[in-house]
Amino acid sequence: MIKSIGSLFIYKISLIILLLFLQNGFSQEAKPRFNYNAKYEPEKGIYHGAGQDKNGFHDYVNAVGQDKMPAIYMTYVNITSPVKRIERWGKSLKQVLDSLPKGIMPQIGLGFTGGKDTGAGLDKEVADGKYNKQLQAFYKMLLDLDRPSFTRIGYEFEGDWNGYSPESFKKVFITISKAFKEKNIKSATVWCSGGGSADFISLEKLMTYYPGDQYVDWWGIDIFSPEEFDHIGLQNFFDAAHIHKRPVMIGECTPRFVGVLDGETSWDKWFKPFFKMLHDNPGIKAFCYINWDWEYWSNRNGFPWHDWKDARIEKNPFVLEAYKKEMEKPLFIHLNNK
């Protein structure tokens, strides 16, 4: 009972602080967006996306509100999996999408690795045709979906946890991009960097992985830790995307090492600079938030994410209310206003 009274007191104090914060604090004007006329690029605004599993997506929607239903649903598949597994993933994805309001676009992280962040990239084997049956199964799945989507081909390509080589990676990217065009597949290709997680390698080195403008619809970058927002490598990436006239998707974002449970402190450390970044960079046209308790998924899937903390937006009233306030701004494109 004493514990319950204490929790209620902390909750009320959090809401009072939040009210003062919303009245007096954070107010930013977003810069007008660039428009490059890329495939599935919105003319104005930023697509709002979330994931990265079915339950995490539903919990996120229930918290943020049905009137702010994300326009993008995140999912993943590894092209080196058995064909049957890719087919099962495709059927499951279709069932999930069909259960959601019409018009949601999947954002697919397409890997070609051979292990769990061990650097065992199989890009050369994919490039040499060893997994052609899997690629055909993937194309068929996209055709069956018959809706606009985004495919982050070999996402976080420069990360040593993937172990891709520039030449093999580019060959695979070009193969898939050509197949999308030849088969009239409704998916935009996204060239997605690991960003700060890959130590923001120089732009010169990054471009050794670039397959060419004719094969890339969007640029993408993943953002996790708070120190990444002020890193010159991030701004260099945004500037280079503008030179190549490609919109940017924040393919994955989550408050790594921060989480949400510290309320206003969490907001100030990660969410505030995150939204400032979105507002200040007119080439950003989509973002996808990972609504996960990372320790749970680390234990379940066997990845080293134990200290990435709880990023579930619904787990802290201060963060949730401030986040919802941001999502009400006309800058963000939800399913009902896209």
Side-chain angles (χ1 to χ4, degrees), residues 157-288:
F157 48 83
E158 80 277 37
D160 59 7
W161 56 92
N162 284 326
Y164 301 149
S165 70
E167 294 309 314
S168 297
F169 169 80
K170 286 188 290 189
K171 188 173 179 181
V172 175
F173 199 107
I174 290 169
T175 296
I176 294 172
S177 179
K178 284 183 175 179
F180 282 4
K181 290 176 181 173
E182 291 168 0
K183 298 175 183 294
N184 293 318
I185 291 173
K186 297 177 180 177
S187 196
T189 60
V190 185
W191 182 69
C192 189
S193 165
S197 297
D199 295 329
F200 284 117
I201 66 172
S202 71
L203 197 58
E204 183 180 4
K205 288 183 179 177
L206 200 69
M207 295 306 287
T208 64
Y209 291 85
Y210 194 56
D213 285 348
Q214 65 270 45
Y215 304 110
V216 175
D217 296 311
W218 288 59
W219 283 33
I221 190 165
D222 295 346
I223 297 176
F224 289 83
S225 302
E227 61 271 18
E228 296 172 22
F229 296 118
D230 293 328
H231 198 287
I232 188 62
L234 182 61
Q235 193 57 54
N236 288 342
F237 184 89
F238 292 149
D239 293 344
H242 182 56
I243 291 171
H244 285 262
K245 301 187 183 307
R246 293 293 181 276
V248 173
M249 168 184 287
I250 308 302
E252 301 177 25
C253 55
T254 196
R256 180 169 59 185
F257 307 133
V258 175
V260 303
L261 299 183
D262 290 331
E264 186 176 6
T265 300
S266 298
W267 183 268
D268 287 344
K269 280 187 178 179
W270 194 88
F271 291 91
K272 190 172 181 179
F274 171 72
F275 282 109
K276 184 177 188 305
M277 174 198 70
L278 296 183
H279 292 174
D280 288 350
N281 290 280
I284 298 176
K285 307 299 281 287
F287 84 92
C288 299

Side-chain angles (χ1 to χ4, degrees), residues 34-86:
F34 294 142
N35 183 20
Y36 308 101
N37 293 312
K39 192 173 184 178
Y40 304 139
E41 179 188 2
E43 183 178 346
K44 301 176 180 177
I46 299 176
Y47 280 138
H48 164 206
Q52 57 187 1
D53 75 302
K54 182 175 65 175
N55 292 333
F57 183 85
H58 283 301
D59 290 342
Y60 177 92
V61 171
N62 289 335
V64 175
Q66 295 286 333
D67 59 328
K68 303 179 194 66
M69 174 73 71
I72 293 177
Y73 175 91
M74 301 169 69
T75 184
Y76 296 82
V77 68
N78 196 328
I79 209 64
T80 61
S81 302
V83 170
K84 291 292 184 185
R85 186 179 300 172
I86 294 172

Side-chain angles (χ1 to χ4, degrees), residues 75-78 107-111 150-155 252:
T75 184
Y76 296 82
V77 68
N78 196 328
Q107 185 263 85
I108 302 162
L110 181 67
F150 300 91
T151 302
R152 293 187 297 134
I153 302 170
Y155 59 98
E252 301 177 25

